[in-house]
């Protein structure tokens, strides 16, 4: 195939770039060919489609900016750069946090103060006016929402961030486009080429067959998985819309769709994006008679997109967003698929432990579901832009005597303030009054009771972040949480947001909270100072590199324990989820030599005497295991 590309190599392409492309093409195109064949090999035009894809990769590499090619080479020299203890992520909406891209650029000094090395800007592309699912209905992957800036400003921002050691992260919404995307408009107008970009049917016959086995994601918006192509009654066509009716699912059985989305992905890579959050990965392949979630072909497609980047944008990584059964989450994580993955199980079970004061489910998850393949890493977070769902396995819970269905109902009630003694000020999302099923919305501070009882809430907030900071992988902060931002009391006054409770935890940047972040007598200062201290301690402890984690039974039902191993020492992490002080005995700690160091205070401790943890307290203890 490379010989066929030779006549198409631009004359102006430097020899070093030609050689770099040839080496990557030879290394990765055979794998891409096999993956492409698994999906499209049955087609008569398979070789034509594959050849066109190869030419597309060549054109993209030739047009890739020189500074990004240099960055590619540096990343290839340090392929595990994202697994180090220096990593700290932040995520925000551009408009909510800084107004526009210029405002984000002005925040770079603060990002450096906080210690960010990774900045995820929530969807910022052109999207429908009004409700756009928070920007996840993309109308153009090549144009920024004009209220936020321009694509040139985004490219300049990525370069400036990179100069300050911060990687830019964007969403790649590749399961669907908005119904206002040019492809969708042309499909709605009846152009056959673009109708084939989507799952469009002439009537309800086939959609009804699919809907026998698929589930409703947003039943408040529309029943089933399909909506009308047009609102007009005289248009009988139906289009697949897994999420909102204005989000039309792409049809990856069509190789033209794969090539088109590969082109959009490489365009974003050329703007300096280093990590792509692969949105809704579980839904990208459909097959009649199945749930159309996490099918084998979805993994093949992800691996094929990954191979595309290895050839034409090798410094770009993928992060999977799969809020599914824990067994399914793990299947997306591998160097040849998604190198990074959100850790929704750890997130959900941290909240579960906060409510029950007993971290047994979390301890089980760390012992059994934390390990990852080499060359990959978790993204550990306390909460994100989305709702909190209880994604633990019923089978895992049952082994610990917990009824999954009943426990989810309890957690929903607890975090929406419907349980006596609950400290939480959360809001239900997509609640079903008949079944009691819902998900939970709220900022970290509001869900942990900062407004009502600030003292204990600060300790809870720091405890939750200590788990995300110390279990391995990359910790991720929803920006604003580090100064204790509360729920937005006016979230439902905007008619475009009133039907989506998730906007309660997407408030504007809390300027007054940030102004108080250095006041150690304020709750904002205690939270900010506590998180900054965690970041500093983590960066100075080699044991926190990578993902390796060894379970530790603290022999106290309220205390979570785990070890982060180093070359000779370990850091023993203990976290007390109780409202009362808890003790871990010297006998329990007898597997370590007596002399140890508590890292936050740089204090020497004698483990023979045991350790006392304050209510909602945590300790990171460097110790020597008994050999």
């Amino acid at each position: 195939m490379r010989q066929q590309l030779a006549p198409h190599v631009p004359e102006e392409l430097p020899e070093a770039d030609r050689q770099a492309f040839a080496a990557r093409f030879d290394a990765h195109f055979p794998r891409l060919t096999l993956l492409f064949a698994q999906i499209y090999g049955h087609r008569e035009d398979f070789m034509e489609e594959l050849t066109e894809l190869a030419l597309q990769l060549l054109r993209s590499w030739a047009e890739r900016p020189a500074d990004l090619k240099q960055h590619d080479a540096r990343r290839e020299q340090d392929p595990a750069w994202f697994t180090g203890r220096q990593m700290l992520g932040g995520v925000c909406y551009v408009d909510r946090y800084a107004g526009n891209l210029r405002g984000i650029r002005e925040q770079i000094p603060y990002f450096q103060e906080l210690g960010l090395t990774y900045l995820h800007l929530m969807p910022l592309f052109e999207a429908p006016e009004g409700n756009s699912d928070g920007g996840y209905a993309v109308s153009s992957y090549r144009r920024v929402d004009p209220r936020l800036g321009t694509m040139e400003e985004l490219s300049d921002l990525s370069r400036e961030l990179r100069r300050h050691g911060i990687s830019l992260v964007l969403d790649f919404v590749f399961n669907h486009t908005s119904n206002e995307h040019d492809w969708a408009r042309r499909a709605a107008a009846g152009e056959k080429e673009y109708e084939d970009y989507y799952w469009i049917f002439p009537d309800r016959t086939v959609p009804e067959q699919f809907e026998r086995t698929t589930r409703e994601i947003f039943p408040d918006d529309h029943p089933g998985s399909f909506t009308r192509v047009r609102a007009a009654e005289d248009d009988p066509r139906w289009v697949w819309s897994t999420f909102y009716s204005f989000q039309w699912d792409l049809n990856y059985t069509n190789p033209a769709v794969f090539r088109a989305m590969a082109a959009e992905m490489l365009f974003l890579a050329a703007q300096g994006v280093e990590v792509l959050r692969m949105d809704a990965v579980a839904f990208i392949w459909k097959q009649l008679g199945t749930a159309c979630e996490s099918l084998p072909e979805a993994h093949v497609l992800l691996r094929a997109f990954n191979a595309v980047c290895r050839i034409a944008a090798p410094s770009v990584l993928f992060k999977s967003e799969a809020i599914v059964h824990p067994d399914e989450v793990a299947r997306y994580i591998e160097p040849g698929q998604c190198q990074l993955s959100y850790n929704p199980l750890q997130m959900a079970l941290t909240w579960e432990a906060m409510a029950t004061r007993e971290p047994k489910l979390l301890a089980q998850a760390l012992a059994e579901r934390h390990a990852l393949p080499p060359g990959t890493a978790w993204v550990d977070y306390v909460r994100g832009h989305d709702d909190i769902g209880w994604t633990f396995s019923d089978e895992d819970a049952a082994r610990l005597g917990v009824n999954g269905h009943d426990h989810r109902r309890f957690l929903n009630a607890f975090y929406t303030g419907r349980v006596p003694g609950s400290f939480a000020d959360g809001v239900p999302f997509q609640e079903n009054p008949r079944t009691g099923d819902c998900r939970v919305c709220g900022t970290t501070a509001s869900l942990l009771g900062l407004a009502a009882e600030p003292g204990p809430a600060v300790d809870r907030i720091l405890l939750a972040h200590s788990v995300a900071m110390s279990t391995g992988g990359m910790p991720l902060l929803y920006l604003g949480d580090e100064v204790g931002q509360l729920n937005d009391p006016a979230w439902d006054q905007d008619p475009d947001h009133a039907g989506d409770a998730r906007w309660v935890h997407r408030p504007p940047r809390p300027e007054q909270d940030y102004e108080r972040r250095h006041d150690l007598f304020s709750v904002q200062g205690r939270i900010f100072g506590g998180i900054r201290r965690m970041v500093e301690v983590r960066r100075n402890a080699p044991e926190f590199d990578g993902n390796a984690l060894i379970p530790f039974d603290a022999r106290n039902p309220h205390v979570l324990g785990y070890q982060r191993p180093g070359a000779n020492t370990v850091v023993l992490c203990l976290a007390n989820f109780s409202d009362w002080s808890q003790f871990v005995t010297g006998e329990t700690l007898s597997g370590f030599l007596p002399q140890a160091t508590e890292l936050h205070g740089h204090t020497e401790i004698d483990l023979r005497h045991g350790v006392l943890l304050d209510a909602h307290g945590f300790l990171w203890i460097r110790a020597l295991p008994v050999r």
Side-chain angles (χ1 to χ4, degrees), residues 155-199:
S155 182
D156 289 344
L157 173 63
S158 75
R159 191 174 298 109
E160 187 69 8
L161 288 169
R162 198 161 54 252
R163 192 170 72 83
H164 288 89
I166 302 173
S167 299
L168 178 62
V169 185
L170 292 184
D171 292 84
F172 189 51
V173 185
F174 73 129
N175 175 71
H176 49 265
T177 72
S178 91
N179 61 354
E180 295 182 4
H181 193 287
D182 181 61
W183 303 340
R185 290 183 185 277
R186 297 174 75 169
E191 291 189 40
K192 183 66 170 65
E193 177 184 355
Y194 290 97
E195 280 189 305
D196 290 344
Y197 271 43
Y198 301 94
W199 292 87

Side-chain angles (χ1 to χ4, degrees), residues 15 130 231 449:
E15 180 60 28

Side-chain angles (χ1 to χ4, degrees), residues 1 15-16 22 32 35 112 150 176 215 233 235 242 294 302 320 339 364 369 393 412 465-466 542 550 556 576 615:
M1 178 67 76
E15 180 60 28
L32 177 56
L35 293 166
Q112 290 186 288
T150 65
H176 49 265
R215 64 185 173 109
E233 290 295 327
D235 189 336
T242 294
S294 292
L302 273 172
S320 74
Q339 299 89 350
Q364 178 194 57
R369 296 190 179 277
S393 158
N412 287 332
H465 282 97
S466 80
I550 302 170
N556 182 317
N576 176 18

Side-chain angles (χ1 to χ4, degrees), residues 187-190 195 200-202 228-238:
E195 280 189 305
I200 293 177
F201 296 96
R228 290 277 189 132
V229 169
R230 295 182 187 272
E233 290 295 327
D234 60 350
D235 189 336
R237 294 174 299 165
W238 291 78

Side-chain angles (χ1 to χ4, degrees), residues 382-394:
V382 175
R383 67 103 177 177
H385 77 285
D386 225 334
D387 53 272
I388 298 172
W390 311 111
T391 57
F392 57 84
S393 158
D394 284 352

Side-chain angles (χ1 to χ4, degrees), residues 198-219:
Y198 301 94
W199 292 87
I200 293 177
F201 296 96
D203 54 39
R204 285 283 301 167
T205 303
V206 175
E208 286 176 359
Q209 294 174 11
F210 273 108
E211 288 175 348
R212 291 171 189 158
T213 51
T214 58
R215 64 185 173 109
E216 294 178 347
I217 304 298
F218 289 156

Side-chain angles (χ1 to χ4, degrees), residues 359-375:
K360 60 184 180 182
L361 286 174
L362 180 54
Q364 178 194 57
L366 290 177
E368 300 179 4
R369 296 190 179 277
H370 183 78
L372 288 180

